[in-house]
Amino acid sequence: MSEEKPLFTDLIGEILKEYSKTGGMDNLPGTGKPLSEEYLSGDVFQNFQRIAREQGYKPYWLELQHEIRDSLQGLHRDIEAGKKRDAELRLKQINDKIYKYNQQCPPPMQKGSVRMENLEAACARWQ
């Protein structure tokens, strides 16, 4: 009789087993301490979000939002200072980031593309 193959490969499980074999799981902070009640109560997803936020994790779309804001403000400052060279190209790059942002962020937070005519208003919207 042949050996049955598993229906799926548990890649993360395999990585953790290998990491554990090399001693990577030894001396972890909090080892042997009971979990607090707040970890065991409420919605698992909300607990994950809270823990991730406490550890400094930002979703990709939020990092992109900050990049877009900074790029818009930089472009606006440069135009105000008379440095209009490559402004259209920079605006196109910003709009490409806005497109990526809209694909990643929650639907109510999606934003429209920016034109030179509405650059100042867009800077205020992206605050």
Side-chain angles (χ1 to χ4, degrees), residues 29-98:
T31 300
K33 296 178 184 173
L35 292 174
S36 68
E37 288 294 321
E38 67 185 40
Y39 287 113
L40 303 174
S41 65
D43 184 359
V44 173
F45 184 66
Q46 287 176 344
N47 284 335
F48 167 75
Q49 286 181 316
R50 182 180 47 76
I51 292 167
R53 186 173 48 251
E54 287 171 359
Q55 297 303 315
Y57 170 78
K58 284 185 186 175
Y60 174 70
W61 63 268
L62 191 55
E63 291 177 7
L64 201 52
Q65 182 184 51
H66 293 216
E67 285 179 32
I68 293 166
R69 179 199 62 209
D70 295 344
S71 297
L72 283 171
Q73 290 174 348
L75 178 60
H76 186 257
R77 273 193 309 271
D78 288 350
I79 290 173
E80 290 290 312
K83 301 175 187 174
K84 298 181 182 181
R85 185 176 167 186
D86 297 330
E88 290 292 334
L89 174 63
R90 289 172 63 189
L91 188 60
K92 182 191 178 319
Q93 291 170 338
I94 291 169
N95 280 321
D96 290 344
K97 285 183 182 181
I98 292 172

Side-chain angles (χ1 to χ4, degrees), residues 5-10:
K5 292 184 178 180
L7 297 175
F8 63 92
T9 303
D10 181 12

